Amino acid sequence: ASLLAEAPALGRAFRREAVLDAAVLVPVIDALTPSSPSPALTRALAIAKTARPADLLVEEPVPAAEAGIRTALTALALLSIGDTSAASQFQRALQQNASASALEQSSELRRDKPVSAIQFLLGAARAMQSRDPDAIAAWQAAIDAGAAPPITKQLLIDAYLRRNDLQKATELAASNAAPSAAWTRSAASVHIAAKREADALALLDAHLTAQPDDQEARWLLLHALYSQFVRGGKPL
C-alpha cells in the first residue's frame, strides 16, 4: 500500500508542449483568424503556426478591430517560452475582442470562435501557473463557446484529477469523445483513481492490443493491476 501511495500521480502535470503541438495549435490559430485579416495580422497568424511562436514578440501594428487577436498571439509567444505573464495578456485579449465584437455585425458563431480559442489558451497559461481552478474555468468556457479543440477535455480530466475531484473527472471521462490513445489513457486514469481497476484494465487491454508500444498505457496497466492486488482483488 505504501508503494502504491508513492506511485506517480494519475493527474498528470500540465505540459505546455501539449498545447503547442501543431495538431492542436493550428486549429486554434484558424479559430482566431478573422474572415479578412490585415496583411500584418496575416503574417502574424502564419508565424503562429510555425515552430517559432516566440517570433510573435516582434509586433506590427494592426487595425483596432484586430487588437484582441494580436494581443492573443503575443500572449501565445509568452506561453511558448514559459512566461507566466501570458495569462494577463490572454485576459486583455478577451476584453479587446469583446469590445471589437460589440461593434461588428458578423454572426454569433464567428465571434464565438476566437473567444473559445483565447479561453483555451488562457486555460493553458493558468495551468502553467499551477492555478488549476482558473484553468478549469477557462477550459470550460472554451467548451461552452463551442470551438474548443478535442484535447480540452483531456486537459480538464488531468486538472480534476490533480484536484482529486473524481466526480467531475468521471463525468468527463464518460462523455462522448473521439477515440484516441490520449483519451484512452485519460479515461483509464480516472477509473484507476476511482478504484474501478477492472474498467481501466478493459480499456487498456484493448488499446494495447492495437498499440503495444504505448509505454504510458503500459504503466497505467501496471498501476491498475497493482492497485487491484493491493485492494484485495484479483492476483497479479
Side-chain angles (χ1 to χ4, degrees), residues 22-212:
V24 175
L25 188 58
V26 170
V28 170
I29 301 304
D30 288 340
L32 285 172
T33 304
S35 55
S36 300
S38 66
L41 186 62
T42 298
R43 286 189 289 273
L45 291 164
I47 292 171
K49 293 181 178 181
T50 70
R52 304 186 311 277
D55 291 352
L56 292 166
L57 290 171
V58 180
E59 295 189 29
E60 289 184 82
V62 298
E66 298 177 347
I69 304 303
R70 189 59 185 87
T71 298
L73 295 178
T74 299
L76 173 62
L78 296 171
L79 177 69
S80 73
I81 60 175
D83 190 327
T84 56
S85 68
S88 60
Q89 289 297 310
F90 284 126
Q91 290 278 21
R92 179 168 168 248
L94 284 171
Q95 294 169 354
Q96 290 174 319
N97 189 69
S99 298
S101 294
L103 299 175
E104 290 179 353
Q105 300 301 314
S106 57
S107 69
E108 192 67 26
L109 178 62
R110 165 52 76 182
R111 292 201 295 271
D112 282 351
K113 284 185 177 181
V115 168
S116 184
I118 296 170
Q119 288 284 13
F120 170 74
L121 294 169
L122 173 60
R126 291 304 190 194
M128 190 172 67
Q129 294 175 322
S130 298
R131 293 175 57 175
D132 281 330
D134 294 329
I136 288 169
W139 283 327
Q140 188 58 58
I143 291 173
D144 293 343
I151 197 177
T152 309
K153 287 187 176 181
Q154 295 167 33
L155 295 173
L156 273 170
I157 285 175
D158 285 334
Y160 282 129
L161 285 176
R162 289 193 295 268
R163 293 184 55 76
N164 200 31
D165 190 337
L166 293 182
Q167 180 180 347
K168 293 290 183 60
T170 299
E171 289 172 0
L172 274 175
S175 64
N176 293 329
S180 68
W183 181 258
T184 298
R185 292 192 296 266
S186 294
S189 296
V190 173
H191 287 316
I192 297 170
K195 298 180 172 57
R196 298 189 298 268
E197 293 90 351
D199 292 334
L201 291 170
L203 275 177
L204 294 167
D205 278 336
H207 170 64
L208 286 168
T209 298
Q211 299 186 38

